[in-house]
Amino acid sequence: MKWNTLVTQLFGPFHGMREVGDFLQGEVLFEGELLTVIGTTNHASIGVRLALAQARVVLDTISQHPGRPILLLIDTQGQQLRRRDELLGINRAMAHLGMCIDLARRNGHRVIGLVYDQALSGGFITSGLIADACDALPEAEIRVMRIPAMARVTKLPEAMLTELSESNPVFAPGVGNYVAMGGVRALWEGNLQEALRAALSEATGEDRRARDGALRGGRKLAADVAQRVLDAA
């Protein structure tokens, strides 16, 4: 779905969102409450400039609009693979974005991620996966690494990983598998305004990812292992 179609369905034709390059930004009114909306489009590669632009809006919201909800619209092919961005410290810029989102959550801002098109690699990890919850449209594409790339990194046969992906969602891309693992809380189907209303009401600051993964059978041990680590601390 195109971003302007999405925000029109969510907020009406006079939503006030604007597109600057691959960067989306706006303040929108939803059921009498102002939301800060930021995001990316055109399968954006997240470089230093784009990461810092998003972080700036998050910090401005924290300082100027305490408690205002933040909606992240996600369409990214991952981090920018350019020498310039590597030299400028793309790893630190993306970490800064993630830390700003975490700071917003710690300061009482409800932060919702929505994958409306494509979510890959670090561009997804440092945005939607750090929000209070990340949801997705059913037609969205989500993955961190394709199986051929996974085979090159792990040195495991591609056929073995393909077989594992059929029974274990950890090894498989696809929005359904991320729902099973708890990384995606819910799919937005039907009335998108109702889906946003539910997402905002359920954003309590509690991290349910590991628990949801266990309940859904996608990550059976993560919640238990995490709790054992916390108990031993």
Side-chain angles (χ1 to χ4, degrees), residues 42-120:
N42 302 319
H43 298 349
S45 296
I46 311 297
V48 170
R49 179 175 296 181
L50 191 49
L52 294 182
Q54 294 181 85
R56 178 73 269 168
V57 177
V58 173
L59 291 177
D60 286 346
T61 300
I62 295 171
S63 63
Q64 299 172 19
H65 309 286
R68 175 187 287 182
I70 301 172
L71 176 63
L72 310 173
L73 301 180
I74 301 161
D75 175 23
T76 174
Q77 59 181 287
Q79 64 268 29
Q80 179 71 266
L81 300 177
R82 289 183 181 173
R83 187 166 182 264
R84 174 183 180 275
D85 288 273
E86 294 290 343
L87 291 173
L88 289 174
I90 179 61
N91 59 317
R92 296 180 66 182
M94 296 186 76
H96 174 63
L97 171 58
M99 291 171 67
C100 289
I101 294 172
D102 180 66
L103 180 64
R105 294 177 61 193
R106 292 174 186 270
N107 280 271
H109 295 262
R110 289 167 290 167
V111 184
I112 304 298
L114 175 63
V115 182
Y116 71 96
D117 195 323
Q118 178 176 273
L120 276 64

Coordinates of all heavy atoms in Angstrom, one line a residue, residues 42-120:
N42 N 9.3 4.5 -0.3 CA 10.1 4.2 -1.4 C 11.2 3.1 -1.1 O 12.3 3.1 -1.7 CB 10.8 5.4 -2.0 CG 9.9 6.5 -2.4 OD1 8.8 6.2 -3.0 ND2 10.2 7.8 -2.1
H43 N 10.9 2.2 -0.2 CA 11.8 1.2 0.2 C 13.1 1.8 0.7 O 14.2 1.4 0.2 CB 12.1 0.2 -0.9 CG 10.9 -0.6 -1.3 ND1 9.7 -0.6 -0.6 CD2 10.7 -1.4 -2.4 CE1 8.8 -1.4 -1.3 NE2 9.4 -1.9 -2.3
A44 N 13.1 2.9 1.5 CA 14.2 3.7 1.8 C 15.4 2.9 2.4 O 15.2 2.0 3.2 CB 13.8 4.8 2.8
S45 N 16.6 3.3 2.0 CA 17.8 2.8 2.7 C 18.1 3.8 3.8 O 18.1 5.0 3.5 CB 19.0 2.8 1.7 OG 18.8 1.8 0.7
I46 N 18.2 3.3 5.0 CA 18.4 4.2 6.1 C 19.9 4.6 6.3 O 20.7 3.8 6.7 CB 17.9 3.6 7.5 CG1 16.5 3.0 7.3 CG2 17.9 4.6 8.6 CD1 15.4 4.1 6.9
G47 N 20.2 5.8 5.9 CA 21.6 6.3 6.0 C 21.6 7.2 7.2 O 20.7 7.4 8.0
V48 N 22.8 7.8 7.4 CA 23.0 8.7 8.5 C 22.0 9.9 8.5 O 21.3 10.2 9.6 CB 24.4 9.3 8.5 CG1 24.6 10.4 9.5 CG2 25.4 8.2 8.8
R49 N 21.8 10.5 7.4 CA 20.9 11.7 7.3 C 19.4 11.3 7.7 O 18.8 12.0 8.5 CB 20.9 12.3 5.9 CG 20.0 13.5 5.8 CD 20.1 14.1 4.4 NE 21.5 14.7 4.3 CZ 21.9 15.3 3.2 NH1 21.1 15.5 2.1 NH2 23.1 15.8 3.1
L50 N 19.0 10.2 7.1 CA 17.6 9.7 7.4 C 17.4 9.3 8.8 O 16.3 9.5 9.4 CB 17.2 8.6 6.4 CG 15.7 8.3 6.3 CD1 14.8 9.5 6.2 CD2 15.5 7.3 5.1
A51 N 18.4 8.6 9.4 CA 18.3 8.1 10.8 C 18.2 9.3 11.7 O 17.4 9.4 12.6 CB 19.4 7.2 11.1
L52 N 19.1 10.3 11.5 CA 19.1 11.5 12.3 C 17.9 12.3 12.2 O 17.4 13.0 13.2 CB 20.4 12.3 12.1 CG 21.7 11.6 12.4 CD1 22.9 12.5 12.1 CD2 21.7 11.1 13.9
A53 N 17.3 12.4 11.0 CA 16.1 13.2 10.8 C 14.9 12.6 11.6 O 14.2 13.3 12.2 CB 15.7 13.2 9.3
Q54 N 14.8 11.3 11.6 CA 13.8 10.6 12.4 C 14.0 10.8 13.9 O 13.1 11.1 14.7 CB 13.7 9.1 12.1 CG 13.3 8.8 10.6 CD 13.2 7.3 10.4 OE1 12.2 6.7 10.7 NE2 14.2 6.8 9.9
A55 N 15.3 10.7 14.3 CA 15.6 10.8 15.7 C 15.3 12.3 16.2 O 14.8 12.5 17.3 CB 17.1 10.5 15.9
R56 N 15.5 13.3 15.3 CA 15.3 14.6 15.7 C 13.8 14.9 16.0 O 13.5 15.6 17.0 CB 15.7 15.6 14.5 CG 15.5 17.1 14.7 CD 16.5 17.6 15.7 NE 16.0 17.6 17.1 CZ 16.7 17.8 18.1 NH1 18.0 18.0 18.0 NH2 16.2 17.8 19.3
V57 N 12.9 14.3 15.2 CA 11.5 14.5 15.4 C 11.1 13.8 16.7 O 10.3 14.3 17.5 CB 10.7 13.9 14.2 CG1 9.2 14.1 14.5 CG2 11.0 14.7 12.9
V58 N 11.6 12.6 17.0 CA 11.3 11.9 18.2 C 11.7 12.8 19.4 O 11.0 13.0 20.4 CB 12.0 10.6 18.3 CG1 11.8 9.9 19.6 CG2 11.4 9.7 17.2
L59 N 13.0 13.3 19.4 CA 13.4 14.2 20.5 C 12.6 15.4 20.6 O 12.3 15.9 21.8 CB 14.9 14.5 20.3 CG 15.9 13.3 20.4 CD1 17.3 13.8 20.1 CD2 15.8 12.7 21.8
D60 N 12.2 16.0 19.5 CA 11.4 17.2 19.6 C 10.1 16.9 20.2 O 9.5 17.7 21.0 CB 11.2 17.8 18.2 CG 12.5 18.5 17.6 OD1 13.4 18.8 18.5 OD2 12.5 18.8 16.4
T61 N 9.5 15.8 19.9 CA 8.2 15.4 20.5 C 8.4 15.2 22.0 O 7.5 15.6 22.8 CB 7.7 14.1 19.8 OG1 7.6 14.3 18.4 CG2 6.4 13.7 20.4
I62 N 9.4 14.6 22.4 CA 9.7 14.3 23.9 C 9.7 15.7 24.6 O 9.1 15.9 25.7 CB 10.9 13.5 24.1 CG1 10.8 12.1 23.5 CG2 11.3 13.4 25.6 CD1 12.1 11.3 23.5
S63 N 10.5 16.6 24.0 CA 10.7 17.9 24.7 C 9.6 18.9 24.6 O 9.3 19.6 25.6 CB 12.0 18.6 24.2 OG 11.8 18.9 22.8
Q64 N 8.9 18.8 23.5 CA 7.8 19.8 23.2 C 6.4 19.3 23.5 O 5.5 20.1 23.7 CB 7.9 20.4 21.8 CG 9.3 21.0 21.5 CD 9.5 21.4 20.1 OE1 8.5 21.5 19.3 NE2 10.7 21.6 19.6
H65 N 6.2 18.0 23.4 CA 4.9 17.5 23.5 C 4.9 16.2 24.4 O 4.7 15.1 23.9 CB 4.3 17.1 22.1 CG 4.4 18.2 21.1 ND1 3.6 19.3 21.2 CD2 5.3 18.4 20.1 CE1 3.9 20.1 20.2 NE2 4.9 19.6 19.5
P66 N 5.1 16.4 25.7 CA 5.2 15.3 26.6 C 4.0 14.4 26.5 O 2.8 14.8 26.5 CB 5.2 16.0 28.0 CG 5.8 17.3 27.7 CD 5.2 17.7 26.4
G67 N 4.2 13.1 26.4 CA 3.2 12.1 26.4 C 2.5 11.9 25.1 O 1.6 11.0 25.0
R68 N 2.8 12.7 24.1 CA 2.1 12.5 22.8 C 2.5 11.2 22.2 O 3.7 10.8 22.1 CB 2.5 13.6 21.8 CG 1.9 13.4 20.4 CD 2.4 14.4 19.4 NE 1.8 15.8 19.7 CZ 2.0 16.8 18.9 NH1 2.8 16.7 17.9 NH2 1.5 18.0 19.2
P69 N 1.5 10.4 21.7 CA 1.8 9.1 21.0 C 2.6 9.4 19.7 O 2.5 10.4 19.0 CB 0.4 8.5 20.7 CG -0.5 9.2 21.6 CD 0.1 10.6 21.8
I70 N 3.4 8.4 19.3 CA 4.2 8.4 18.1 C 3.9 7.2 17.3 O 4.0 6.1 17.8 CB 5.7 8.4 18.5 CG1 6.1 9.7 19.3 CG2 6.6 8.4 17.2 CD1 7.5 9.7 19.9
L71 N 3.6 7.4 16.0 CA 3.4 6.3 15.1 C 4.5 6.3 14.1 O 4.8 7.3 13.4 CB 2.1 6.5 14.4 CG 1.7 5.5 13.3 CD1 1.5 4.1 13.8 CD2 0.4 5.9 12.5
L72 N 5.2 5.1 13.9 CA 6.3 4.9 13.0 C 5.7 4.1 11.8 O 5.3 3.0 11.9 CB 7.4 4.1 13.6 CG 7.9 4.6 15.0 CD1 8.9 3.6 15.6 CD2 8.6 6.0 14.9
L73 N 5.8 4.7 10.6 CA 5.4 4.1 9.4 C 6.7 3.5 8.7 O 7.5 4.3 8.3 CB 4.7 5.1 8.4 CG 3.4 5.7 9.0 CD1 2.8 6.7 8.0 CD2 2.4 4.6 9.4
I74 N 6.7 2.2 8.5 CA 8.0 1.6 8.1 C 7.9 1.0 6.7 O 7.0 0.2 6.4 CB 8.3 0.4 9.1 CG1 8.4 1.0 10.5 CG2 9.6 -0.3 8.7 CD1 8.2 0.0 11.6
D75 N 8.8 1.5 5.9 CA 9.0 0.9 4.6 C 10.5 1.1 4.3 O 11.0 2.2 3.9 CB 8.2 1.6 3.5 CG 8.5 1.2 2.1 OD1 9.0 0.0 1.9 OD2 8.2 1.9 1.1
T76 N 11.3 0.1 4.5 CA 12.8 0.2 4.4 C 13.4 -1.1 3.9 O 12.9 -2.2 4.2 CB 13.4 0.6 5.7 OG1 14.8 0.6 5.6 CG2 13.0 -0.4 6.8
Q77 N 14.5 -0.9 3.1 CA 15.2 -2.0 2.6 C 16.5 -2.3 3.5 O 17.3 -3.1 3.2 CB 15.7 -1.9 1.2 CG 16.5 -0.6 0.9 CD 16.9 -0.5 -0.5 OE1 17.8 -1.2 -1.0 NE2 16.3 0.4 -1.2
G78 N 16.5 -1.5 4.6 CA 17.6 -1.7 5.6 C 18.6 -0.5 5.6 O 18.3 0.5 5.1
Q79 N 19.8 -0.7 6.1 CA 20.7 0.4 6.3 C 21.3 0.7 4.9 O 21.4 -0.1 4.0 CB 21.8 0.0 7.3 CG 22.7 -1.1 6.9 CD 22.1 -2.4 7.5 OE1 20.9 -2.6 7.7 NE2 23.0 -3.4 7.8
Q80 N 21.8 2.0 4.8 CA 22.4 2.4 3.6 C 23.8 1.8 3.4 O 24.6 2.0 4.3 CB 22.5 4.0 3.6 CG 23.2 4.6 2.4 CD 22.3 4.5 1.2 OE1 22.4 3.6 0.4 NE2 21.4 5.5 1.1
L81 N 24.0 1.1 2.3 CA 25.3 0.5 2.1 C 26.2 1.3 1.2 O 26.5 1.0 0.1 CB 25.1 -0.9 1.5 CG 24.2 -1.9 2.3 CD1 24.0 -3.2 1.5 CD2 24.8 -2.2 3.7
R82 N 26.7 2.4 1.8 CA 27.6 3.3 1.1 C 28.8 3.6 2.0 O 28.7 3.7 3.2 CB 26.8 4.6 0.8 CG 25.8 4.5 -0.3 CD 25.2 5.8 -0.7 NE 24.2 5.7 -1.7 CZ 23.4 6.7 -2.1 NH1 23.5 7.9 -1.6 NH2 22.5 6.5 -3.1
R83 N 29.9 3.8 1.3 CA 31.1 4.1 2.1 C 31.0 5.4 2.9 O 31.5 5.5 4.0 CB 32.3 4.2 1.1 CG 33.7 4.3 1.7 CD 34.8 4.0 0.7 NE 36.1 4.1 1.4 CZ 36.9 5.2 1.3 NH1 36.4 6.3 0.7 NH2 38.0 5.1 1.9
R84 N 30.3 6.4 2.3 CA 30.2 7.7 3.0 C 29.5 7.5 4.3 O 29.9 8.0 5.3 CB 29.4 8.6 2.1 CG 29.1 10.0 2.8 CD 28.2 10.8 1.9 NE 27.9 12.1 2.5 CZ 26.9 12.3 3.4 NH1 26.1 11.3 3.7 NH2 26.7 13.5 3.9
D85 N 28.4 6.7 4.3 CA 27.6 6.5 5.5 C 28.4 5.7 6.5 O 28.3 5.9 7.7 CB 26.3 5.9 5.2 CG 25.3 6.8 4.5 OD1 24.6 7.5 5.3 OD2 25.3 6.9 3.3
E86 N 29.2 4.7 6.0 CA 30.0 3.9 6.9 C 31.0 4.8 7.6 O 31.3 4.7 8.8 CB 30.7 2.8 6.2 CG 29.7 1.7 5.6 CD 29.1 0.9 6.7 OE1 29.7 0.9 7.8 OE2 28.1 0.2 6.4
L87 N 31.7 5.7 6.8 CA 32.7 6.6 7.4 C 32.1 7.6 8.4 O 32.7 8.0 9.4 CB 33.4 7.3 6.3 CG 34.3 6.5 5.4 CD1 34.8 7.3 4.2 CD2 35.5 5.9 6.2
L88 N 30.8 8.0 8.2 CA 30.2 8.9 9.1 C 29.6 8.2 10.3 O 29.1 8.9 11.2 CB 29.0 9.6 8.3 CG 29.5 10.7 7.3 CD1 28.3 11.2 6.5 CD2 30.2 11.8 8.0
G89 N 29.6 6.9 10.3 CA 29.2 6.2 11.5 C 27.7 5.8 11.4 O 27.0 6.1 12.4
I90 N 27.3 5.1 10.4 CA 25.9 4.7 10.3 C 25.5 3.8 11.4 O 24.3 3.9 11.9 CB 25.7 3.9 8.9 CG1 24.2 3.5 8.8 CG2 26.6 2.7 8.8 CD1 23.2 4.6 8.8
N91 N 26.4 3.0 12.0 CA 26.0 2.2 13.1 C 25.6 3.1 14.3 O 24.7 2.8 15.0 CB 27.2 1.3 13.5 CG 28.5 2.0 13.8 OD1 28.8 3.0 13.1 ND2 29.2 1.6 14.9
R92 N 26.3 4.1 14.5 CA 26.0 5.0 15.7 C 24.8 5.8 15.4 O 24.0 6.1 16.4 CB 27.2 6.0 15.9 CG 28.5 5.2 16.3 CD 29.6 6.2 16.6 NE 29.4 7.0 17.8 CZ 30.2 8.0 18.2 NH1 31.4 8.1 17.5 NH2 29.9 8.7 19.2
A93 N 24.5 6.2 14.2 CA 23.3 7.0 13.9 C 22.1 6.1 14.0 O 21.1 6.6 14.6 CB 23.4 7.5 12.4
M94 N 22.2 4.9 13.6 CA 21.0 4.0 13.8 C 20.8 3.6 15.2 O 19.7 3.5 15.7 CB 21.2 2.8 12.9 CG 21.2 3.1 11.4 SD 21.2 1.6 10.3 CE 19.6 1.1 10.5
A95 N 21.9 3.4 16.0 CA 21.8 3.2 17.4 C 21.1 4.4 18.1 O 20.3 4.2 19.0 CB 23.1 2.9 18.0
H96 N 21.5 5.6 17.7 CA 20.9 6.8 18.2 C 19.4 6.9 18.0 O 18.7 7.2 18.9 CB 21.6 8.0 17.6 CG 21.0 9.3 18.0 ND1 21.1 9.8 19.3 CD2 20.4 10.3 17.3 CE1 20.5 11.0 19.3 NE2 20.0 11.3 18.1
L97 N 19.0 6.5 16.8 CA 17.6 6.5 16.5 C 16.9 5.5 17.5 O 15.8 5.8 18.1 CB 17.3 6.1 15.1 CG 15.9 5.8 14.7 CD1 15.0 7.0 14.9 CD2 15.8 5.3 13.2
G98 N 17.4 4.3 17.6 CA 16.8 3.3 18.5 C 16.8 3.8 20.0 O 15.8 3.6 20.7
M99 N 17.8 4.5 20.4 CA 17.9 5.0 21.8 C 16.8 6.1 22.0 O 16.3 6.2 23.1 CB 19.3 5.5 22.1 CG 20.3 4.3 22.2 SD 22.0 4.9 22.3 CE 21.9 5.7 23.9
C100 N 16.6 6.9 20.9 CA 15.6 8.0 21.0 C 14.2 7.4 21.2 O 13.4 7.9 22.0 CB 15.7 8.9 19.8 SG 17.2 9.9 19.8
I101 N 13.9 6.4 20.4 CA 12.6 5.7 20.5 C 12.5 5.1 21.9 O 11.4 5.2 22.6 CB 12.5 4.6 19.4 CG1 12.4 5.3 18.0 CG2 11.2 3.8 19.6 CD1 12.5 4.4 16.9
D102 N 13.5 4.5 22.4 CA 13.5 3.9 23.8 C 13.3 5.0 24.8 O 12.5 4.8 25.8 CB 14.8 3.1 24.0 CG 14.8 2.5 25.4 OD1 14.0 1.6 25.7 OD2 15.6 3.0 26.3
L103 N 13.9 6.1 24.6 CA 13.8 7.3 25.5 C 12.3 7.8 25.5 O 11.8 8.1 26.6 CB 14.7 8.4 25.1 CG 14.6 9.7 26.0 CD1 15.1 9.3 27.4 CD2 15.5 10.8 25.4
A104 N 11.7 7.8 24.4 CA 10.3 8.2 24.3 C 9.4 7.3 25.1 O 8.5 7.7 25.8 CB 9.9 8.3 22.8
R105 N 9.6 6.0 24.9 CA 8.8 5.0 25.7 C 9.0 5.2 27.2 O 8.1 5.1 28.0 CB 9.3 3.6 25.3 CG 8.9 3.2 23.8 CD 9.4 1.8 23.5 NE 8.8 0.8 24.4 CZ 9.2 -0.4 24.5 NH1 10.3 -0.8 23.8 NH2 8.6 -1.3 25.2
R106 N 10.3 5.4 27.6 CA 10.6 5.6 29.0 C 10.0 6.8 29.6 O 9.8 7.0 30.8 CB 12.1 5.6 29.3 CG 12.7 4.2 29.0 CD 14.3 4.3 29.1 NE 14.9 3.1 28.7 CZ 15.2 2.1 29.6 NH1 14.8 2.2 30.8 NH2 15.8 1.0 29.1
N107 N 9.7 7.8 28.7 CA 9.1 9.1 29.2 C 7.6 9.1 29.0 O 6.9 10.2 28.9 CB 9.7 10.2 28.5 CG 11.1 10.6 29.1 OD1 11.1 11.4 30.0 ND2 12.1 10.0 28.6
G108 N 7.0 7.9 28.8 CA 5.5 7.8 28.8 C 4.8 8.0 27.4 O 3.6 8.2 27.3
H109 N 5.6 8.1 26.3 CA 5.0 8.2 25.0 C 4.7 6.8 24.5 O 5.5 5.9 24.5 CB 6.0 8.8 24.0 CG 6.4 10.2 24.3 ND1 5.8 11.3 23.7 CD2 7.3 10.7 25.2 CE1 6.3 12.4 24.2 NE2 7.2 12.1 25.1
R110 N 3.5 6.6 24.0 CA 3.1 5.3 23.4 C 3.7 5.3 22.0 O 3.4 6.3 21.2 CB 1.6 5.1 23.4 CG 0.9 4.9 24.7 CD -0.6 5.0 24.6 NE -0.9 6.4 24.5 CZ -2.2 6.8 24.1 NH1 -3.1 5.9 23.9 NH2 -2.4 8.1 24.0
V111 N 4.5 4.3 21.7 CA 5.1 4.3 20.3 C 4.7 3.0 19.6 O 4.9 1.9 20.1 CB 6.7 4.3 20.5 CG1 7.3 4.3 19.1 CG2 7.2 5.5 21.3
I112 N 4.1 3.2 18.5 CA 3.5 2.1 17.7 C 4.3 2.1 16.3 O 4.4 3.1 15.6 CB 2.0 2.3 17.4 CG1 1.3 2.4 18.7 CG2 1.5 1.1 16.6 CD1 1.4 1.2 19.6
G113 N 4.7 0.9 16.0 CA 5.3 0.7 14.6 C 4.3 0.1 13.7 O 3.6 -0.8 14.2
L114 N 4.3 0.5 12.5 CA 3.4 -0.2 11.5 C 4.2 -0.4 10.2 O 4.6 0.5 9.5 CB 2.2 0.7 11.2 CG 1.3 0.1 10.1 CD1 0.7 -1.2 10.5 CD2 0.2 1.1 9.7
V115 N 4.4 -1.7 9.9 CA 5.1 -2.0 8.6 C 4.0 -2.1 7.5 O 3.1 -2.9 7.5 CB 5.8 -3.4 8.7 CG1 6.4 -3.7 7.4 CG2 6.8 -3.5 9.8
Y116 N 4.0 -1.1 6.7 CA 3.0 -1.0 5.7 C 3.4 -1.5 4.3 O 2.6 -1.6 3.4 CB 2.4 0.5 5.6 CG 3.4 1.5 5.0 CD1 3.3 1.8 3.6 CD2 4.3 2.1 5.7 CE1 4.1 2.7 3.0 CE2 5.2 3.0 5.2 CZ 5.1 3.3 3.8 OH 5.9 4.3 3.3
D117 N 4.7 -1.7 4.1 CA 5.2 -2.1 2.8 C 6.3 -3.2 3.0 O 6.1 -4.4 3.0 CB 5.7 -1.0 2.0 CG 5.9 -1.3 0.5 OD1 6.3 -2.5 0.3 OD2 5.6 -0.5 -0.4
Q118 N 7.6 -2.7 3.3 CA 8.7 -3.6 3.4 C 9.5 -3.2 4.6 O 9.7 -2.1 4.9 CB 9.6 -3.4 2.1 CG 10.8 -4.2 2.1 CD 11.6 -4.1 0.8 OE1 11.3 -4.8 -0.2 NE2 12.5 -3.2 0.7
A119 N 10.0 -4.2 5.3 CA 10.9 -4.0 6.5 C 12.0 -5.0 6.5 O 11.7 -6.2 6.7 CB 10.0 -4.1 7.8
L120 N 13.2 -4.5 6.3 CA 14.3 -5.4 6.2 C 15.4 -5.0 7.2 O 15.6 -3.8 7.4 CB 14.9 -5.4 4.8 CG 14.3 -6.4 3.7 CD1 12.9 -6.0 3.4 CD2 15.1 -6.3 2.4

